[in-house]
Amino acid sequence: MQIPQHKQVVIIGGGIIGCSVAYHLCKLGISDVVLLERKNLTSGTTWHAAGLVGQLRATQNLTKLAQYTTELLKKLEEETGQATGFKETGSLSIANNAERFEELKRGASMAKCFGLEVEVITPQEAVRLWPLMNAKDLVGAVYLPGDGQTNPTDTTQAYAKGARLQGAQIFENVKATGICQRNGRVSGVTTDSGDIECEFVVNCAGMWAREIGRVAGVNIPLHAAEHFYIVTDQIDGVTSGLPTLRDPGSATYFKEEVGCILAGFFEAKAKPWGRGGASIPEDFAFGTLGEDWEHLDDVFKKAMVRIPALETAGIKLFLNGPESFTPDDRYHLGEAVELKNYYVAAGF
């Protein structure tokens, strides 16, 4: 099928963000939409995401957005007929000092204002929720029963199916190569399969977003870094339904994965990858970046203190995949100042 010559909106990037934008535009009645993916849907980063669905964020608007997403995922499968893997497991955020606990309690107070079910609990109550956890140094925790987990690949396909059902077109293996402009606003997109005249462009290209911005004269501060998680062999006591455990003091999160533990890390000094964007291999799609236990030594030691069972558990998967980050760790969302009708949704 040939790409169209004219569309109102062109979305660049077929990860979970691009497919979500297509779905939501159609929900708003804007169905003259085409989504272009350079390889296959979910390639790049989405396919290896951990799939955590949390509602409590640092600000009011971020919390409201996350709350909306959680409610949507509860009904997306029924609406589209495509499984998402969403399950409501709850989440547990722990604090090992008074300052962190104060931050969590303030967030909990804000969450209550939005009608979220949230509990400020003691370390002893936290251990009852996560029995394998070492809580000797904890001062408190916050529990949100309504948080959950989802399968990123399946959820992306659900968004894509929902968008198609409402009239959007999605093309895989079509690479956007440039942005056409007229009188300071978007007028089209050039691709390796032909050109498309359009009124709006939405850059959802993930770790390629900076480069897609650069060809249009739009500055998008964002860079890929190596991001790590491990999955253990099965561990006694790891049962289905355990809440997601977030330990910001150790820069680690934990989730149950079919009787195993998935532990993900946000180490203080990350490893940048694909310098300047141009160094990302042209054929990169579902690749991984290799093990680096030396880099993770400090955070993994902290993870073993928090979950002592990790000391003796076998590791069946070490995943190192690229994830894009912004300077302040907040995502880019909205119209670019440099070019009218050029929108960005990246850096999540």
Side-chain angles (χ1 to χ4, degrees), residues 114-127:
F114 303 134
L116 292 180
E117 185 179 357
V118 58
E119 302 172 25
V120 177
I121 62 177
T122 66
Q124 293 73 28
E125 290 170 320
V127 170

Side-chain angles (χ1 to χ4, degrees), residues 140-173:
V142 166
Y143 175 56
L144 281 92
D147 282 358
Q149 303 168 10
T150 197
N151 182 304
T153 297
D154 290 345
T155 303
T156 302
Q157 295 295 345
Y159 280 134
K161 184 176 181 180
R164 289 190 183 104
L165 288 172
Q166 297 173 88
Q169 291 181 286
I170 295 176
F171 290 87
E172 298 178 283
N173 297 301

